[in-house]
PDB file of all heavy atoms in Angstrom:
ATOM      1  N   ALA A  14       0.731   8.849  -8.447  1.00 98.00           N
ATOM      2  CA  ALA A  14       0.599   7.819  -9.495  1.00 98.00           C
ATOM      3  C   ALA A  14      -0.892   7.584  -9.854  1.00 98.00           C
ATOM      4  O   ALA A  14      -1.241   7.444 -11.028  1.00 98.00           O
ATOM      5  CB  ALA A  14       1.232   6.512  -9.019  1.00 98.00           C
ATOM      6  N   VAL A  19      -5.341   8.289 -13.589  1.00 98.00           N
ATOM      7  CA  VAL A  19      -6.739   8.715 -13.724  1.00 98.00           C
ATOM      8  C   VAL A  19      -6.836   9.858 -14.748  1.00 98.00           C
ATOM      9  O   VAL A  19      -7.778   9.909 -15.546  1.00 98.00           O
ATOM     10  CB  VAL A  19      -7.276   9.125 -12.338  1.00 98.00           C
ATOM     11  CG1 VAL A  19      -8.498  10.010 -12.444  1.00 98.00           C
ATOM     12  CG2 VAL A  19      -7.562   7.892 -11.489  1.00 98.00           C
ATOM     13  N   THR A 121      -1.782 -18.853   6.300  1.00 97.00           N
ATOM     14  CA  THR A 121      -1.106 -17.769   7.010  1.00 97.00           C
ATOM     15  C   THR A 121      -0.286 -18.359   8.127  1.00 97.00           C
ATOM     16  O   THR A 121      -0.405 -19.528   8.413  1.00 97.00           O
ATOM     17  CB  THR A 121      -2.135 -16.731   7.513  1.00 97.00           C
ATOM     18  OG1 THR A 121      -1.459 -15.615   8.046  1.00 97.00           O
ATOM     19  CG2 THR A 121      -3.053 -17.310   8.598  1.00 97.00           C
ATOM     20  N   LYS A 149       2.972  -8.502  16.881  1.00 94.00           N
ATOM     21  CA  LYS A 149       2.257  -7.469  16.107  1.00 94.00           C
ATOM     22  C   LYS A 149       1.228  -6.787  16.970  1.00 94.00           C
ATOM     23  O   LYS A 149       0.347  -7.436  17.536  1.00 94.00           O
ATOM     24  CB  LYS A 149       1.525  -8.088  14.906  1.00 94.00           C
ATOM     25  CG  LYS A 149       2.467  -8.807  13.922  1.00 94.00           C
ATOM     26  CD  LYS A 149       1.742  -9.290  12.712  1.00 94.00           C
ATOM     27  CE  LYS A 149       2.745  -9.795  11.674  1.00 94.00           C
ATOM     28  NZ  LYS A 149       2.112 -10.227  10.420  1.00 94.00           N
ATOM     29  N   ASP A 209     -17.063 -10.008  -7.390  1.00 96.00           N
ATOM     30  CA  ASP A 209     -16.137 -10.265  -8.478  1.00 96.00           C
ATOM     31  C   ASP A 209     -14.836  -9.507  -8.199  1.00 96.00           C
ATOM     32  O   ASP A 209     -14.785  -8.595  -7.383  1.00 96.00           O
ATOM     33  CB  ASP A 209     -16.658  -9.761  -9.813  1.00 96.00           C
ATOM     34  CG  ASP A 209     -18.084 -10.264 -10.069  1.00 96.00           C
ATOM     35  OD1 ASP A 209     -18.348 -11.413  -9.698  1.00 96.00           O
ATOM     36  OD2 ASP A 209     -18.892  -9.469 -10.597  1.00 96.00           O
ATOM     37  N   LEU A 229      16.989  -0.405   9.028  1.00 91.00           N
ATOM     38  CA  LEU A 229      15.603  -0.264   9.521  1.00 91.00           C
ATOM     39  C   LEU A 229      14.578  -0.419   8.420  1.00 91.00           C
ATOM     40  O   LEU A 229      14.843  -0.187   7.255  1.00 91.00           O
ATOM     41  CB  LEU A 229      15.431   1.174  10.134  1.00 91.00           C
ATOM     42  CG  LEU A 229      16.214   1.431  11.416  1.00 91.00           C
ATOM     43  CD1 LEU A 229      16.073   2.891  11.839  1.00 91.00           C
ATOM     44  CD2 LEU A 229      15.775   0.482  12.542  1.00 91.00           C
ATOM     45  N   ALA A 243       6.921 -14.642 -10.311  1.00 95.00           N
ATOM     46  CA  ALA A 243       5.456 -14.651 -10.326  1.00 95.00           C
ATOM     47  C   ALA A 243       4.933 -14.999 -11.713  1.00 95.00           C
ATOM     48  O   ALA A 243       4.313 -14.169 -12.402  1.00 95.00           O
ATOM     49  CB  ALA A 243       4.914 -13.319  -9.850  1.00 95.00           C
ATOM     50  N   LEU A 306      -0.033  -1.175 -15.893  1.00 98.00           N
ATOM     51  CA  LEU A 306      -1.431  -1.493 -16.245  1.00 98.00           C
ATOM     52  C   LEU A 306      -1.889  -0.642 -17.440  1.00 98.00           C
ATOM     53  O   LEU A 306      -1.880   0.571 -17.375  1.00 98.00           O
ATOM     54  CB  LEU A 306      -2.318  -1.215 -15.015  1.00 98.00           C
ATOM     55  CG  LEU A 306      -3.812  -1.494 -15.158  1.00 98.00           C
ATOM     56  CD1 LEU A 306      -4.115  -2.968 -15.292  1.00 98.00           C
ATOM     57  CD2 LEU A 306      -4.602  -0.895 -13.977  1.00 98.00           C
ATOM     58  N   GLU A 323     -15.961  -8.478 -14.113  1.00 94.00           N
ATOM     59  CA  GLU A 323     -15.457  -9.683 -14.780  1.00 94.00           C
ATOM     60  C   GLU A 323     -15.414  -9.570 -16.296  1.00 94.00           C
ATOM     61  O   GLU A 323     -14.711 -10.319 -16.961  1.00 94.00           O
ATOM     62  CB  GLU A 323     -16.329 -10.896 -14.392  1.00 94.00           C
ATOM     63  CG  GLU A 323     -16.059 -11.284 -12.949  1.00 94.00           C
ATOM     64  CD  GLU A 323     -16.447 -12.722 -12.630  1.00 94.00           C
ATOM     65  OE1 GLU A 323     -17.450 -13.158 -13.214  1.00 94.00           O
ATOM     66  OE2 GLU A 323     -15.776 -13.344 -11.794  1.00 94.00           O
ATOM     67  N   ASP A 331       4.287  -5.226 -21.777  1.00 96.00           N
ATOM     68  CA  ASP A 331       5.260  -6.353 -21.775  1.00 96.00           C
ATOM     69  C   ASP A 331       6.565  -5.957 -21.124  1.00 96.00           C
ATOM     70  O   ASP A 331       7.436  -6.799 -20.898  1.00 96.00           O
ATOM     71  CB  ASP A 331       5.567  -6.785 -23.245  1.00 96.00           C
ATOM     72  CG  ASP A 331       4.341  -7.398 -23.893  1.00 96.00           C
ATOM     73  OD1 ASP A 331       3.545  -8.032 -23.164  1.00 96.00           O
ATOM     74  OD2 ASP A 331       4.193  -7.243 -25.119  1.00 96.00           O
ATOM     75  N   ILE A 407      18.239   9.459 -13.632  1.00 97.00           N
ATOM     76  CA  ILE A 407      17.429  10.648 -13.338  1.00 97.00           C
ATOM     77  C   ILE A 407      17.755  11.177 -11.945  1.00 97.00           C
ATOM     78  O   ILE A 407      17.888  12.359 -11.707  1.00 97.00           O
ATOM     79  CB  ILE A 407      15.961  10.348 -13.541  1.00 97.00           C
ATOM     80  CG1 ILE A 407      15.693  10.191 -15.043  1.00 97.00           C
ATOM     81  CG2 ILE A 407      15.074  11.463 -12.933  1.00 97.00           C
ATOM     82  CD1 ILE A 407      14.355   9.619 -15.367  1.00 97.00           C
TER      83      ILE A 407
END
Side-chain angles (χ1 to χ4, degrees):
V19 161
T121 187
K149 300 185 172 184
D209 308 322
L229 293 175
L306 179 69
E323 288 200 327
D331 292 330
I407 289 168

